[in-house]
Amino acid sequence: MRVFLATTNPGKLSELKKGLRPLGWTFVTPGELPYTPPEETGMSFEDNAMLKAASAARQTGLPSLADDSGLEVDALGGEPGVYSARFGGHTRDLDRNLYLLERLKGVPLEERTARFVAVLVLAYPDGHLEVYRGETEGLILEAPRGHLGFGYDPLFYVPEAGRTFAEMLPGEKARYSHRGKALRALREAWAHGPPPREIKPME
Ligand code: IMP
């Protein structure tokens, strides 16, 4: 199957391609086809992932996969959430990380609990959607650790693994990460080919 990957984020693209490799799909990426990302006006990761995937499927005529993801920090009432890509109005990873540290100044480690959420939506040109979700619990450190990955990875410590996402090689991050879990759910659903479409009762 030819699938359009509806993201321009290089970190996401590389994780999605690796995670989907066992399915043997061919990937088409923005730049190869005319595609304008829609405005992310949704109030949830699900809404935004659906918006992006459905818009991409309409524009490209291909089954399209979108990832909407972000960080929910408990001490900030769930911020930045769906606004993770533009937290504090910042567009660069480094500035967003510094802003997050600033917002959490003085909050002790045990209260710096957070989770990463990823929602993957595979949308078909006929309007059908598949939705997969993954979450990972962690702590926001007081200083960055590690140089791998992207985004908030250097600040996100996974107690179960004893390291931050930025200290994990791609395979290890995939084992623990929100996106890795959502990709696992997708791969399981596709283990025997396209998952059956739910048949809705007639109204
Ligand atoms: P969006 O899904 O395009 O709205 O952007 C999500 C934002 O959340 C990204 O730009 C990153 O800043 C952050 N994010 C999502 N997934 C990860 C991850 O795996 N590691 C680090 N940051 C992430």
Side-chain angles (χ1 to χ4, degrees):
M1 183 161 86
R2 275 179 91 211
V3 176
F4 183 75
L5 299 180
T7 179
T8 52
N9 179 321
K12 282 188 187 180
L13 261 182
S14 133
E15 292 183 16
L16 292 176
K17 282 183 176 170
K18 281 202 185 81
L20 297 169
R21 195 175 289 151
L23 296 171
W25 292 349
T26 306
F27 304 120
V28 181
T29 52
E32 295 178 68
L33 284 180
Y35 164 69
T36 310
E39 233 186 287
E40 296 185 27
T41 51
M43 297 300 282
S44 67
F45 298 112
E46 276 79 5
D47 285 350
N48 281 333
M50 283 187 223
L51 263 172
K52 290 190 273 191
S55 165
R58 271 195 308 273
Q59 292 184 55
T60 63
L62 291 174
S64 298
L65 186 79
D67 166 310
D68 200 68
S69 46
L71 185 64
E72 295 178 342
V73 180
D74 295 324
L76 301 178
E79 274 191 88
V82 291
Y83 303 109
S84 294
R86 41 195 187 277
F87 192 29
H90 299 293
T91 50
R92 292 189 318 163
D93 286 344
L94 179 67
D95 297 331
R96 279 190 294 254
N97 285 348
L98 289 173
Y99 180 70
L100 176 59
L101 288 177
E102 187 59 37
R103 291 281 309 272
L104 287 175
K105 215 172 195 166
V107 179
L109 191 63
E110 64 273 17
E111 288 172 29
R112 298 167 78 101
T113 51
R115 75 204 48 77
F116 258 125
V117 181
V119 174
L120 298 179
V121 170
L122 181 59
Y124 296 79
D126 68 3
H128 178 67
L129 300 173
E130 293 169 24
V131 182
Y132 304 96
R133 187 184 173 96
E135 291 188 19
T136 299
E137 299 287 334
L139 292 170
I140 305 301
L141 295 183
E142 288 169 1
R145 261 172 58 175
H147 298 282
L148 302 169
F150 69 99
Y152 302 96
D153 280 352
L155 293 178
F156 191 78
Y157 177 83
V158 183
E160 206 192 335
R163 58 184 97 191
T164 67
F165 275 168
E167 293 174 310
M168 297 182 189
L169 290 169
E172 198 188 359
K173 182 179 172 191
R175 189 156 91 229
Y176 291 104
S177 80
H178 49 312
R179 187 165 299 102
K181 290 172 189 168
L183 283 164
R184 219 136 53 225
L186 186 157
R187 286 199 305 269
E188 272 162 29
W190 274 81
H192 307 290
R197 295 188 178 195
E198 208 179 297
I199 297 164
K200 295 208 179 88
M202 295 223 291
E203 311 224 328

